[in-house]
Amino acid sequence: MSYGNTTFIIEDNPGDLMLLKDQLETAGWSAEYSLNEGLLTNAIESLKTVKPVVVFLDLNLPDSNGLETFLTIQAIIPDVPIIILSGTNDTSLSLQAVQAGAQDFLVKGEFEEKLLLKTILYSIERKKSQLKLEEINKRFIYASKATNDALWDWDINSHEIFWNEKVKMFGYHDAVSKNDSWRINNVHTEDRERINKRMTELMQNSADQWSEQYRFRCANGTYKHIYDRGFVLRDRKNMPYRMIGTMQDVTEQVMLQKKLEFEKEQTQKVILKTAIESQEKERNEIGRELHDNVNQILAAANIHLGLVRIGNHEKSLELVKEGQHLIMKAVDEIRKLTHNIVSSHIDDMGVIIAIENLVDEINSLLAFKIEFKHNIIEEIIPYPVGLTVFRIIQEQLNNIMKYASATKVFINLSIMDDQLVLNISDDGVGAAFDEIKKGIGLSNIKNRTTAYNGKVSFETSPGKGFKVNVQLPLELQKKLIN
C-alpha cells in the first residue's frame, strides 16, 4: 500500500523539532513544520496550503495548551491522522487526546526510526478505519431519520441492544435499560413462547434471516402489533455474535385487516339471513299456491267422482272408491306439505304452539316418542328468531326420522343469560363424528344459526345417539332485527 510521504510537525521546541525531522527523513518521510514562535495560529495558517498525510502535534504551545490544542487542529483537518508528541510527564493528557480521536502518541526522546515508521503507518490505517466507521454511523443515523421503524443492533454475548431514537414509539423512559431481557419480557405472553422458540432455532442453525409478527407491550400497558425482522452475523465457527434488524409498527394494518374480516363476516351473515328470508317467502308463496289451487282442484275432482258413484255400476263404483281414496290421500299429503312449507302459522300462533303441533303430528305417526319442554315467554322471541328455531327443530326431526332409528327424542327450549338455548337429543344409533360433516341437513342448521350470530355444536358417537346444541343471543337479535 502506498501513501504520500509529507508530514507536518507542530512543535515549539527547536531541538525536539530537528530531532523528529531527522528521524523522519531517515525513515524516508519528508516533513513540513511550524516553528515560527511555536504558535498554533501560525500552524493553522500553514495547514491551509499544506496537505500532509499525518500531523505530529505538541499539545502544549505558547498560545494553546492541553486537549484544546488537539481539538482545534482536529476540527481544521478532520481527515488527517494526528500523532501526539508527549513529554515524559504528560502521557495521561496524550491518552485523553487518543480517546478524543487522535490516532497515537509518542514520548519525546523515547522512540527511534522503526517505531516512528510503525506509528505513522498504524495511524494512517487507523484513521481510514475511523473515517469509514464514521461514514457508516452517518448512514445509520440518516437511515434512522428516514424511517419510522425502530432499528436495533444486538450484541448477543453482552445482551446489550443499541436502538435508534424510534424506540421511543413504545413510550419507555430513556433511563429504562432496553436490553434483550427488556425486549423479550415485553412480548405478549401469548406470543412469547413462539418468539423464544423461533429465536432459539435461529441461533442453533445456520440461517441468517429472521422475521416474526407479534404484540409488544408499551409503557402505558397497551400493545402494538410489530413486524420484526433481523440479520444474524456469525463468527468462523458459525456462532452468532451480533444481530441487526428493525421493528415495524403494523398495528394500523392489523386493525384494518381485522375490521375488514369482521365486515366480511357481517356481510356474509346478512347475505345468509337474506337468503333464508327469501327462502321462507318462496315457501309461503308455494304453500299458498298449493293450498289455494291444487287442493281446490283435487276437492272438485273428489266431488265429481262422488257423483259418478251414484251410477251403481259395480266396476265404476270400485274405481270411484279407489279414486276417492287416492284423491283424499293426495289432499292429505298436500295438507302435510303445506303445513311444512307455510310459516305464517308461526306468526299467527307463536313458535311454542307451532312446535307443539309439529311434535303432536309426529307423535301421532308412532315413529318415535318426542318430549318437548320449555320455559319461554313467547313475546320476547322475535318472529324471525322463532321461525329459525322452528326450522332447526323441523330439520333435525327429519334427520332423526331418516337416519337415527331412535325411539325417544327430547327437545328443550330455554333462556339462559340472554341466550335462547335449544337442545335436541335422541337415543338413536349415532354416528362417527367425521361422518356428520357430510349432511346437508346439519349444514342448514349451521347456516341458520350463523345468520343470527348464534353458536351450534353437535355431540355424537356410534351407538350413543345424537345431540344438537344451539345458542342464539336474544339481545343482539333484537338489535339486528330492529
Side-chain angles (χ1 to χ4, degrees):
M1 186 175 294
S2 61
Y3 305 100
N5 67 347
T6 300
T7 64
F8 190 84
I9 307 170
I10 304 174
E11 170 64 65
D12 65 335
N13 186 298
D16 291 334
L17 175 62
M18 290 301 105
L19 178 61
L20 178 57
K21 185 174 181 296
D22 290 342
Q23 289 177 321
L24 284 169
E25 291 176 349
T26 301
W29 292 79
S30 63
E32 300 279 348
Y33 56 89
S34 174
L35 183 60
N36 188 3
E37 298 179 354
L39 296 177
L40 183 64
T41 53
N42 293 335
I44 292 172
E45 284 299 316
S46 299
L47 286 172
K48 291 180 179 179
T49 57
V50 177
K51 301 297 180 183
V53 293
V54 66
V55 169
F56 291 90
L57 175 64
D58 185 353
L59 295 177
N60 296 311
L61 301 173
D63 59 346
S64 181
N65 189 52
L67 188 61
E68 186 64 29
T69 306
F70 165 74
L71 296 176
T72 301
I73 292 297
Q74 185 187 47
I76 295 170
I77 50 170
D79 298 338
V80 179
I82 299 174
I83 301 172
I84 305 300
L85 296 174
S86 171
T88 56
N89 297 324
D90 59 1
T91 54
S92 61
L93 180 60
S94 299
L95 287 173
Q96 292 178 31
V98 171
Q99 292 171 355
Q103 275 55 64
D104 207 341
F105 74 94
L106 292 170
V107 179
K108 296 177 183 179
E110 295 186 3
F111 61 87
E112 37 75 38
E113 287 83 358
K114 289 185 179 180
L115 177 59
L116 178 61
L117 179 60
K118 179 180 178 182
T119 301
I120 292 173
L121 296 177
Y122 168 80
S123 297
I124 292 173
E125 290 300 325
R126 187 177 181 192
K127 186 63 179 182
K128 287 183 178 179
S129 298
Q130 180 184 341
L131 293 173
K132 188 177 295 185
L133 181 59
E134 288 176 357
E135 182 62 29
I136 292 173
N137 288 337
K138 285 180 182 179
R139 290 176 183 172
F140 180 81
I141 292 171
Y142 294 152
S144 297
K145 293 181 180 296
T147 181
N148 291 322
D149 300 346
L151 304 183
W152 49 268
D153 186 345
W154 178 24
D155 187 326
I156 296 173
N157 296 322
S158 69
H159 307 289
E160 294 300 319
I161 301 179
F162 170 78
W163 301 85
N164 71 338
E165 62 179 10
K166 299 302 172 60
V167 74
K168 292 180 180 179
M169 70 180 178
F170 300 117
Y172 289 95
H173 193 275
D174 290 343
V176 175
S177 177
K178 300 175 182 63
N179 55 21
D180 53 6
S181 296
W182 170 84
R183 180 180 178 182
I184 195 63
N185 288 337
N186 281 312
V187 175
H188 196 288
T189 53
E190 295 178 1
D191 300 329
R192 193 177 301 160
E193 183 179 353
R194 171 173 57 87
I195 297 303
N196 275 329
K197 181 179 179 181
R198 287 281 290 110
M199 189 62 71
T200 300
E201 291 173 352
L202 177 72
M203 297 302 171
Q204 291 176 349
N205 59 34
S206 58
D208 56 9
Q209 301 283 349
W210 179 85
S211 64
E212 282 293 330
Q213 186 168 315
Y214 55 86
R215 291 160 288 178
F216 193 86
R217 182 174 56 207
C218 299
N220 62 5
T222 62
Y223 283 86
K224 288 183 181 292
H225 291 264
I226 297 298
Y227 178 60
D228 199 354
R229 50 191 167 181
F231 181 81
V232 182
L233 301 177
R234 298 178 181 272
D235 60 21
R236 293 181 178 179
K237 295 182 180 180
N238 203 36
M239 296 299 295
Y241 66 90
R242 186 179 177 188
M243 191 171 177
I244 302 171
T246 64
M247 294 174 71
Q248 181 182 4
D249 181 3
V250 294
T251 304
E252 186 175 345
Q253 295 93 310
V254 171
M255 293 297 102
L256 178 59
Q257 181 65 31
K258 288 184 177 181
K259 181 181 178 182
L260 292 174
E261 289 175 357
F262 175 78
E263 290 176 352
K264 180 180 178 181
E265 180 181 351
Q266 295 305 308
T267 301
Q268 289 174 338
K269 288 179 180 179
V270 170
I271 293 172
L272 184 57
K273 180 182 174 183
T274 302
I276 291 174
E277 290 174 350
S278 299
Q279 186 182 49
E280 293 300 334
K281 181 179 179 180
E282 183 180 3
R283 284 186 173 186
N284 280 328
E285 291 175 353
I286 294 172
R288 280 192 290 270
E289 184 71 22
L290 288 171
H291 184 271
D292 295 341
N293 295 325
V294 179
N295 277 3
Q296 290 182 14
I297 293 171
L298 290 175
N302 183 48
I303 292 173
H304 283 81
L305 287 173
L307 292 174
V308 173
R309 192 174 60 176
I310 300 175
N312 255 342
H313 297 290
E314 184 176 346
K315 189 173 182 181
S316 296
L317 179 61
E318 182 179 344
L319 292 173
V320 168
K321 286 182 179 180
E322 181 65 22
Q324 283 185 314
H325 172 72
L326 293 174
I327 290 173
M328 290 306 299
K329 184 177 180 181
V331 170
D332 187 59
E333 288 298 321
I334 291 172
R335 180 189 63 79
K336 292 179 181 179
L337 177 62
T338 304
H339 180 75
N340 284 335
I341 294 176
V342 178
S343 61
S344 60
H345 66 291
I346 295 179
D347 195 20
D348 296 334
M349 298 180 295
V351 65
I352 300 302
I353 294 177
I355 294 172
E356 289 174 343
N357 289 343
L358 177 64
V359 168
D360 290 342
E361 183 176 342
I362 295 178
N363 279 337
S364 68
L365 299 175
L366 301 178
F368 44 75
K369 183 67 176 176
I370 304 174
E371 182 178 332
F372 172 50
K373 292 183 179 181
H374 70 89
N375 66 351
I376 301 299
I377 300 174
E378 186 78 45
E379 289 74 14
I380 70 172
I381 304 178
Y383 167 72
V385 178
L387 178 58
T388 295
V389 170
F390 179 81
R391 290 302 186 200
I392 290 174
I393 293 174
Q394 194 178 51
E395 192 80 58
Q396 183 56 15
L397 290 178
N398 286 334
N399 290 336
I400 293 171
M401 285 189 285
K402 290 179 181 178
Y403 308 116
S405 300
T407 59
K408 293 181 181 180
V409 177
F410 301 93
I411 303 174
N412 187 66
L413 189 61
S414 61
I415 294 178
M416 298 176 60
D417 301 327
D418 293 327
Q419 299 274 331
L420 185 62
V421 180
L422 171 64
N423 304 113
I424 308 172
S425 60
D426 65 66
D427 63 351
V429 296
F433 196 80
D434 57 351
E435 294 178 1
I436 70 172
K437 300 177 182 178
K438 304 174 183 178
I440 296 176
L442 297 183
S443 296
N444 289 338
I445 292 174
K446 288 180 181 178
N447 291 339
R448 291 180 184 276
T449 305
T450 303
Y452 288 95
N453 296 279
K455 298 179 180 179
V456 62
S457 63
F458 306 108
E459 301 175 28
T460 186
S461 60
K464 300 294 184 179
F466 199 101
K467 186 174 183 181
V468 177
N469 305 298
V470 175
Q471 293 183 18
L472 295 169
L474 280 177
E475 291 301 318
L476 181 57
Q477 303 317 316
K478 293 176 182 177
K479 292 179 183 177
L480 289 173
I481 292 164
N482 294 332

